[in-house]
Amino acid sequence: MTHNGPIVLQHMLHGYDDGHRLLASSVKLEQADMKTMLRLTDSSGPGIRSDADSYVTGYPLPLSGCFALAKTWPAPELPRPGCVWTHSLLIDFADLAVIGDFAILLESFVRPSGEERTYYSTPKLIDVESLPRPASWDPEEARQALAALYMHPGNRVLMPRVDTGPLDGLVLAIWSQQWPRLRRSFRFCTNAVTDRSGESNAFDFQLVDPSQGVLRSRFPKGHLAEEIEQPAPVWLELAVRDLMAPNRDGLRQFLRQIGGDVQGGREAFPYLTQLHADLLAQEDNFSALSNAIDLLTNELASVEATTIRSNVVNNAVHHVAALDDAGIDFLIIHLDLISRPAAQNKVLGQELMQRAPNRFLELLNGKGTGRSAAESAFSSIPLDRALNFAEDYPTSLRALVQIRTDWAESSTFWTRKSVATAKMLASAKVATSDHLGILGALLAADRIDLVPDALDSFGSRLVLKAIIPLVDKRGADSQIKPWLNCAVKDISAVSETLAAAESSVPRTLEVIARLIHPDDVVNDVGEDPWLAACRGAEPKETDLFLLSFLLARALGSQSQSQAELAVLGFTAIHDATARGQLRDECWSMFATRLPTSLFGFDWDRCWRLRTGLIDMFLERRLSPETFAFANFNDELFFSLAHWAKRSKQGEDFLKSVHEILKTSDKIDRTDELARILR
Amino acid sequence: MTIPSVTVIGLPASGKTTFLAALWHVVSDCDPDAPIALRLQNLKSGDVAHLNSIASRWREAKEQERTTLGGNHLVSMNLQDVGGNSVVVSFPDVEGEAYDRIWEDRECSELIEPFLKSTGVILFIHADKIVRPRWIAEEMALEALMNGPAAEAEGEQIPMPDAEMLAPLAVEPQNWEPKFAPTQVKLVDLLQVLRRPPLDIGPRKLAIMLSAWDKVEAEGRSPDQWLRESLPLLHQYLHSNADEWDIEIFGVSAQGGDYDSNTDAVEPRPAAAELRMQDRPADRIKLIEPTGGDSKDITRPIAWLMK
C-alpha cells in the first residue's frame, strides 16, 4: 500500500458545556451522524478518571461518507464528574484505503486546554506513511484477537485491557490489516466500560477492564476472546505473522487487491487469508490448489478477482487428471482465463470426455470458449475414440461431423452402422472434397446397404470411377458387384467411364460388358467409348468375350468406330471359331448380325464371319485403311480379299486397299493382292 | 383501568440521578417502618446493578458521575401505595442532554417520546445552577469596572461607565446559539412542547422539583417564592395557566449536603463524612412541601401525581 500525497482530516471537539455537546468542528455532517457522534464521543461509562484511562474509538459515519477515529480523555478539571474531552478525526472513506498504518494518526490527537478551539475548526493535511510499523504486542494476544474476530464474525468481541498502549496498538493494527471495505465498517473502542453498540450498530471489538464489575451485565452480548487450541488454522497463523511483520507474505496487498470484490465483512477474512496461503503453496502442493479452488467456488464465489482466478486456473490445468469433479467444473467455468488455450483445452476436453461425458456434451453443444475447448479435444483424439463417444452419445455426432474431417474417408466410421447412416453421406460430401475417398471408405466398409444412397449422393460416374481401380485389382468380387450392378444402370456414366479409359485391365471391361448390351452405350459422335477403353486396357486374343462383345457392337448400329471395333479381335474370334473354341455365349452376341447362307452354309461360322465383315466394310463404306492395317494374318487377309472381289464394289474397295498397302510396311501383300485383282 | 404514569425529566445536572439513587434506596429498602407513601412493587426496566451502584454512591455520600449519553439507562418501576394503587415511574434518558436537544435542535428522541405522554410529569430544576438572563449593559459595565481604573476606598459607589471607558473594550461579536438561552426559557419551551402535538395528551399534573434545596434554604423562601424570584418567566407561565398544568412546587434535597468528589485529587469533605455517620441514610433526605412543611418522604410528589 503506497500513497504519495497528503490526505485531508476534518476535526471535531466534543466536551461538557452545560451538557455534553459539540464544541468545535471543521465540517458539518449529516444530522443522524452528528447524533451518533454525540453519543460515542461521551464517556464509555463511569470510571474514566485518569489519562491512563484515555482511549480510542473508531466507527463509520455512513451518511456523511467518512470514518471517525476519536480519542477521549477524562476532564477532571471540569466541575461535573464524568465529563470528558473527545477529539475526533474524520477520515473520508476514500482515504481509508490509502493509509497503511492507522497508528500514525495517533500523533494528530490534541487534548484541549483552556478555551482555545480554533485548532479543531480547521481541516488539516497530513502525510501518511507507506509502510506499517513493526509490532509491539504479544503474538498470542494477536492470535486470540484475530481468532475471536474472524472465527466468530457475528460476535461483539471483548478483550481484557490489562496494559494500555500495546493493546491499543494491536486494535489499530488489526484495523490496518483489513481491506478498505472492511475498514469502513469496523467499530472498535480501546476502553469500553459498557457496551458501546447501538441498536443496529454493533461494535466489533472492545477492550474492557475486567475488574469493573461483572462483564456479563455490562456486555450482555459480548464474547471474550479466548485462547486458541493448537494447532491453529493456517489462515490464522498467516494473519498473525502479517500483524507482526506487515505484508511480509504479501497478505495485505492480497487483501487490498481482492477485498473490494468481497460482499461479506469479517466472515470473509479467514477465507481470503486461507486463499492467499493456498495460492502461495499451490505450485508444489496439490492440496493447496484444491483448497483454493474450493474457496473460489464456495465461500468466495462472489469474488470476481480475475487475476487470482486466472492464477489458479492456469495452475490447475496442469493437474487436470488429479482434479475432482468440482475442480473440473471450476476449470470449465474459467476456460476463458486459460493462457494457452490451444494446448490446455485439449487436455481438459479429453479428461472431460472420459470423466464427465454429459458435461463435455454441454460444452460441445454450447458456445464460446467451452465449445472451443470441447472441439479442440474432440478433434485431437483418435478417430476410434471419437466414434466410440459418438456411438454412446449420438447427440455428439453432429459435432463430430463438423469438427473432424477424417471421419468421412475412414472405413472405420462407415463400419459403425449406428452412426454412419445414409444421412451422413450428405455431411460427408461437405466434410471433404475427396469424394472418391468417401466411396473408397464405403466400399472398404462393405456398406452395400448404402449403394442406392451413395449413387444418389455421388452419382454413378463417381462410383464407377471409384470401383474401376478395385475391379482392376481384384475383379468384381462380392463386395464390389452390388455397386457395379447399380452403377452400370446409368449408361451415360458407363459411357463416360469407358471414354476416360481409366481401366488398364481387359477383365474390367469384360465385367462391364457382361452387365450391359453391346448397343447400350450411345456413340453419336466421335470415337466409340469402347474403343477408347480398349486403347487403355488392350484386350488380348484370349479375351474372347470382350472381343466378341465389341464385334457385336461393331456389327450393330450404335458405334461410330465400327471398322476399328470389328477388326480389333476379328482374327482371334475367327481363329477360335475355326478351332471350335469360341463359346456359345460369345457367338450368340453377334451371330444374329452375321449374314445367313441361301445355300445352306450357315453351319460354316467362319464363312459367316468373313462374309459379315466384308459386307460391313462394303455396305457401310468403312475405311479401307482400317482394313489394310487390321491384324489379319495372311491367310485370313487373302481369304477376305477373295470374297470381297466377287462384287464390283468389293473390287474397288480392294484397289483402294492395294494402293494403301503399296506405301506401307505391308508391301509384301501388294503382289498377291494385285494378282487377286487381275 | 390504566395505571397512572409519571415521567421524570430535567435539563443536564438538574439532580435527576441523585433523586433516582435516593428513591431507589428508599423504595427498595426492606425497612417496613420507613415513612414513605409508596413502595416498590417491581422494576419494569433498568439495570439493577446500575441502580444499586448509584444508590451505593448515594449512601456513601459520593458525587454521582454524570450519566453518559451512551448505553441504555431507561429506568421504569412500579410503585404502590398502602391502598394497593400502582403508579409507573419512569426516568427516560436519565442524562439531560435529550431535553437540551428538544430546545436546541427541535428534535425529540424516539426513545423518550412515549414517556413524555405520561399522565404526570416531574420536572427537575437545580436551584443552584440557574442560568439567568444577562443584560448587555450590566455585563459591559462589570467588564469595564474590572479592567478600568482601580476602585476607590470601600463604600464609594462605582459610577456607570461612559462611552470613553467602554470604547477600548469593544469585543468580537459572538453568534448566538440556543445553548446560551437562560434556564427558564428552556424550561418554558419544554413545557409548552409537552402541551403541543404530538406529545400533548391534554391537561395533566406537573410537579416542579427544585433540587439541591439545601443550597438555597438559607434564603428563607418557599419553593413558590423562590421560583417567582429566580425564574419569573417560568413562574408566570405556570400561574397564568395557559396550558392548564395542574402544578405543585416542591423543594428537595436528596443529598442533604456536599458529597465527596470522584476525583482523588480533591480532599474529602467534612459534610460528607457527617452524612455517612447517620444511622439511616434516608434521614438526609429533605422534601419541602408546597404548603411549607417538610418531610423525609421522597415519594410524596409521586403520590400526589398519581391521585
Side-chain angles (χ1 to χ4, degrees):
Chain A
M1 277 180 277
T2 58
H3 180 72
N4 294 323
I7 64 171
V8 175
L9 285 184
Q10 303 290 348
H11 296 255
M12 280 194 181
L13 176 68
H14 287 77
Y16 191 88
D17 180 7
D18 193 22
H20 181 77
R21 59 178 72 245
L22 175 67
L23 302 179
S25 177
S26 67
V27 68
K28 190 170 170 53
L29 300 183
E30 296 291 330
Q31 194 61 24
D33 287 338
M34 295 295 286
K35 282 187 185 173
T36 300
M37 287 197 74
L38 190 63
R39 180 173 69 82
L40 292 177
T41 52
D42 202 350
S43 174
S44 66
I48 305 294
R49 297 202 180 93
S50 69
D51 275 352
D53 297 326
S54 65
Y55 57 88
V56 172
T57 310
Y59 51 95
L61 299 170
L63 295 178
S64 304
C66 61
F67 193 95
L69 182 66
K71 180 141 188 185
T72 300
W73 302 266
E77 67 270 29
L78 296 181
R80 253 194 111 185
C83 297
V84 294
W85 300 113
T86 298
H87 178 193
S88 301
L89 307 176
L90 302 176
I91 313 164
D92 195 272
F93 276 157
D95 291 332
L96 274 185
V98 305
I99 301 175
D101 183 4
F102 287 108
I104 194 175
L105 297 180
L106 295 176
E107 299 163 7
S108 297
F109 289 122
V110 175
R111 189 189 189 284
S113 60
E115 297 294 321
E116 177 55 40
R117 302 282 183 260
T118 55
Y119 177 82
Y120 310 96
S121 303
T122 52
K124 308 284 187 295
L125 284 175
I126 69 160
D127 281 316
V128 291
E129 284 184 9
S130 59
L131 290 175
R133 302 171 181 177
S136 58
W137 42 85
D138 180 5
E140 184 52 37
E141 286 177 330
R143 188 174 289 107
Q144 287 183 21
L146 290 173
L149 281 170
Y150 299 126
M151 292 172 78
H152 307 283
N155 285 356
R156 301 179 189 183
V157 173
L158 310 175
M159 264 191 89
R161 185 177 192 248
V162 177
D163 295 315
T164 60
L167 273 188
D168 286 15
L170 173 61
V171 173
L172 291 179
I174 290 175
W175 188 36
S176 300
Q177 185 182 49
Q178 296 171 349
W179 58 90
R181 182 175 286 181
L182 184 57
R183 288 179 175 185
R184 259 181 253 161
S185 63
F186 195 60
R187 292 180 175 82
F188 56 88
C189 179
T190 63
N191 190 359
V193 180
T194 57
D195 193 346
R196 311 217 68 194
S197 304
E199 279 187 9
S200 56
N201 299 313
F203 264 60
D204 299 281
F205 195 16
Q206 298 176 86
L207 300 185
V208 300
D209 183 353
S211 66
Q212 284 206 8
V214 178
L215 271 181
R216 178 61 61 194
S217 64
R218 292 187 287 129
F219 298 88
K221 294 183 181 179
H223 295 262
L224 262 179
E226 296 168 342
E227 277 190 35
I228 305 302
E229 284 183 13
Q230 294 296 335
V234 167
W235 70 265
L236 181 59
E237 290 307 315
L238 181 59
V240 170
R241 279 206 305 276
D242 182 80
L243 268 189
M244 305 309 290
N247 208 41
R248 187 185 77 175
D249 296 312
L251 176 61
R252 301 233 174 164
Q253 194 167 348
F254 174 79
L255 291 177
R256 179 182 168 78
Q257 177 187 359
I258 198 173
D261 290 341
V262 175
Q263 296 301 319
R266 280 159 48 190
E267 68 273 16
F269 189 96
Y271 301 125
L272 292 178
T273 311
Q274 180 64 51
L275 178 61
H276 182 65
D278 290 331
L279 290 175
L280 289 175
Q282 64 168 335
E283 293 287 336
D284 306 315
N285 184 336
F286 181 75
S287 174
L289 173 64
S290 289
N291 250 11
I293 292 175
D294 186 56
L295 284 169
L296 289 171
T297 303
N298 296 305
E299 290 85 359
L300 300 176
S302 65
V303 175
E304 200 171 311
T306 305
T307 306
I308 289 166
R309 286 178 182 268
S310 177
N311 183 325
V312 174
V313 161
N314 284 288
N315 190 16
V317 291
H318 297 293
H319 305 277
V320 172
L323 290 174
D324 59 12
D325 290 348
I328 294 290
D329 275 344
F330 180 80
L331 282 183
I332 292 172
I333 292 168
H334 296 93
L335 281 173
D336 53 349
L337 296 180
I338 295 177
S339 57
R340 291 175 50 224
Q344 305 298 351
N345 285 351
K346 189 188 301 183
V347 174
L348 174 61
Q350 290 177 4
E351 189 67 27
L352 206 58
M353 274 184 73
Q354 188 174 333
R355 288 169 51 172
N358 288 322
R359 198 77 172 86
F360 178 82
L361 274 176
E362 283 177 18
L363 293 180
L364 199 61
N365 295 323
K367 297 178 183 177
T369 319
R371 182 185 172 119
S372 300
E375 288 179 351
S376 175
F378 213 29
S379 63
S380 65
I381 57 175
L383 182 61
D384 271 352
R385 194 171 161 202
L387 290 174
N388 290 340
F389 189 86
E391 280 191 299
D392 292 337
Y393 301 93
T395 56
S396 69
L397 187 59
R398 182 175 62 86
L400 180 147
V401 164
Q402 290 172 348
I403 295 165
R404 298 187 72 123
T405 57
D406 56 345
W407 63 274
E409 299 173 56
S410 164
S411 60
T412 306
F413 171 80
W414 293 106
T415 57
R416 312 280 185 112
K417 291 187 179 180
S418 61
V419 293
T421 62
K423 290 181 184 176
M424 295 308 297
L425 289 173
S427 301
K429 282 178 68 177
V430 174
T432 177
S433 58
D434 185 5
H435 296 171
L436 277 176
I438 300 171
L439 287 167
L442 284 168
L443 285 159
D446 199 19
R447 292 301 302 273
I448 58 177
D449 58 307
L450 293 180
V451 167
D453 299 287
L455 286 169
D456 279 341
S457 290
F458 298 100
S460 299
R461 171 68 185 106
L462 202 66
V463 171
L464 285 171
K465 192 171 180 179
I467 292 172
I468 293 299
L470 296 176
V471 179
D472 279 356
K473 197 172 176 182
R474 62 185 204 243
D477 56 25
S478 58
Q479 205 177 41
I480 297 174
K481 256 192 190 166
W483 291 89
L484 201 54
N485 289 344
C486 290
V488 299
K489 290 177 184 172
D490 183 351
I491 292 298
S492 62
V494 174
S495 176
E496 285 181 55
T497 303
L498 292 171
E502 287 167 352
S503 174
S504 60
V505 176
R507 181 184 59 196
T508 302
L509 297 183
E510 179 177 329
V511 167
I512 296 173
R514 286 184 180 277
L515 294 174
I516 62 177
H517 190 273
D519 294 335
D520 280 344
V521 174
V522 175
N523 175 219
D524 294 330
V525 292
E527 186 182 63
D528 191 299
W530 280 107
L531 184 62
C534 287
R535 261 200 260 287
E538 296 180 350
K540 298 178 180 49
E541 59 187 24
T542 52
D543 297 315
L544 287 173
F545 183 91
L546 178 60
L547 295 173
S548 299
F549 178 92
L550 295 173
L551 178 60
R553 179 171 174 81
L555 291 171
S557 59
Q558 292 300 320
S559 176
Q560 300 293 321
S561 306
Q562 295 162 353
E564 291 84 355
L565 287 178
V567 302
L568 188 67
F570 188 84
T571 300
I573 293 171
H574 187 271
D575 286 350
T577 303
R579 293 194 304 272
Q581 290 176 343
L582 187 69
R583 297 188 301 276
D584 284 345
E585 63 171 354
C586 298
W587 173 256
S588 61
M589 276 194 281
F590 55 78
T592 55
R593 299 182 179 192
L594 294 174
T596 57
S597 169
L598 293 175
F599 303 103
F601 287 114
D602 290 345
W603 58 269
D604 187 348
R605 291 184 174 181
C606 291
W607 174 85
R608 290 182 69 188
L609 279 170
R610 293 192 300 272
T611 304
L613 185 69
I614 291 299
D615 286 352
M616 186 180 74
F617 268 92
L618 295 180
E619 289 168 8
R620 298 178 188 180
R621 298 179 192 281
L622 299 181
S623 165
E625 190 172 349
T626 304
F627 187 89
F629 294 117
N631 61 346
F632 305 131
N633 56 38
D634 288 343
E635 182 181 352
L636 180 59
F637 178 80
F638 291 122
S639 176
L640 289 168
H642 275 295
W643 187 256
K645 189 181 175 297
R646 291 180 300 110
S647 66
K648 177 65 169 70
Q649 187 184 9
E651 189 173 335
D652 290 339
F653 179 77
L654 287 175
K655 284 178 181 175
S656 300
V657 171
H658 184 260
E659 287 301 314
I660 292 169
L661 284 175
K662 280 198 303 189
T663 58
S664 72
D665 57 352
K666 294 193 175 184
I667 196 172
D668 54 322
R669 289 184 176 179
T670 57
D671 291 339
E672 182 61 21
L673 185 59
R675 195 187 62 76
I676 293 172
L677 285 170
R678 277 199 292 274
Chain B
M1 181 178 164
T2 56
I3 298 175
S5 56
V6 173
T7 296
V8 179
I9 65 175
L11 298 176
S14 56
K16 300 184 297 296
T17 303
T18 304
F19 177 81
L20 175 60
L23 178 66
W24 181 251
H25 167 81
V26 166
V27 299
S28 63
D29 192 5
C30 294
D31 181 1
D33 296 326
I36 53 176
L38 300 170
R39 293 188 185 274
L40 179 68
Q41 188 177 10
N42 56 55
L43 182 67
K44 284 186 66 177
S45 62
D47 183 1
V48 172
H50 169 66
L51 291 171
N52 289 338
S53 172
I54 61 173
S56 174
R57 294 189 68 82
W58 179 79
R59 283 191 292 272
E60 292 168 10
K62 288 186 178 176
E63 283 180 341
Q64 299 288 349
E65 286 198 21
R66 57 169 286 273
T67 310
T68 60
L69 290 169
N72 180 11
H73 295 289
L74 168 65
V75 174
S76 188
M77 62 184 82
N78 282 342
L79 302 181
Q80 198 174 46
D81 64 10
V82 293
N85 301 306
S86 296
V87 63
V88 179
V89 181
S90 300
F91 291 74
D93 196 53
V94 183
E95 64 272 19
E97 278 79 353
Y99 305 103
D100 270 341
R101 298 284 79 75
I102 293 177
W103 160 249
E104 293 180 29
D105 300 331
R106 318 311 293 163
E107 280 187 2
C108 177
S109 165
E110 288 176 354
L111 294 174
I112 68 170
E113 182 190 340
F115 299 97
L116 296 180
K117 296 180 183 177
S118 59
T119 55
V121 176
I122 295 179
L123 174 64
F124 268 81
I125 303 172
H126 198 290
D128 199 35
K129 292 181 182 177
I130 303 297
V131 175
R132 300 177 191 284
R134 293 159 68 171
W135 296 99
I136 297 174
E138 285 180 359
E139 290 294 320
M140 294 186 72
L142 184 61
E143 187 73 23
L145 287 172
M146 288 172 66
N147 291 293
E152 295 297 332
E154 186 180 349
E156 182 177 348
Q157 190 173 12
I158 299 172
M160 290 294 289
D162 56 18
E164 188 180 340
M165 290 175 71
L166 291 173
L169 302 175
V171 294
E172 195 67 27
Q174 187 180 10
N175 288 333
W176 183 85
E177 296 177 32
K179 68 178 181 180
F180 297 148
T183 300
Q184 60 184 345
V185 171
K186 296 179 185 178
L187 293 175
V188 169
D189 181 73
L190 177 59
L191 292 175
Q192 285 182 320
V193 163
L194 295 184
R195 292 291 284 122
R196 302 289 181 273
L199 300 175
D200 183 31
I201 61 166
R204 39 181 162 164
K205 284 188 169 182
L206 171 67
I208 305 286
M209 298 285 272
L210 302 175
S211 65
W213 184 254
D214 56 290
K215 299 291 185 186
V216 300
E217 189 174 24
E219 296 171 15
R221 293 172 290 179
S222 70
D224 183 70
Q225 286 173 329
W226 184 92
L227 192 70
R228 185 175 63 236
E229 291 172 19
S230 300
L231 300 170
L233 177 65
L234 176 61
H235 188 268
Q236 198 173 73
Y237 164 76
L238 292 172
H239 284 281
S240 68
N241 208 17
D243 284 336
E244 298 180 279
W245 288 103
D246 181 4
I247 64 166
E248 290 288 358
I249 303 172
F250 299 83
V252 63
S253 174
Q255 285 189 182
D258 289 334
Y259 280 13
D260 283 336
S261 170
N262 278 317
T263 309
D264 294 336
V266 177
E267 291 288 327
R269 298 183 176 116
E274 285 183 21
L275 290 170
R276 280 191 291 273
M277 289 177 67
Q278 288 177 328
D279 289 336
R280 295 178 67 242
D283 288 342
R284 67 179 76 154
I285 296 171
K286 189 169 186 179
L287 181 75
I288 309 303
E289 308 245 10
T291 55
D294 58 66
S295 153
K296 298 291 182 190
D297 183 6
I298 202 170
T299 67
R300 287 184 65 81
I302 302 171
W304 173 76
L305 286 168
M306 66 186 285
K307 286 179 184 172

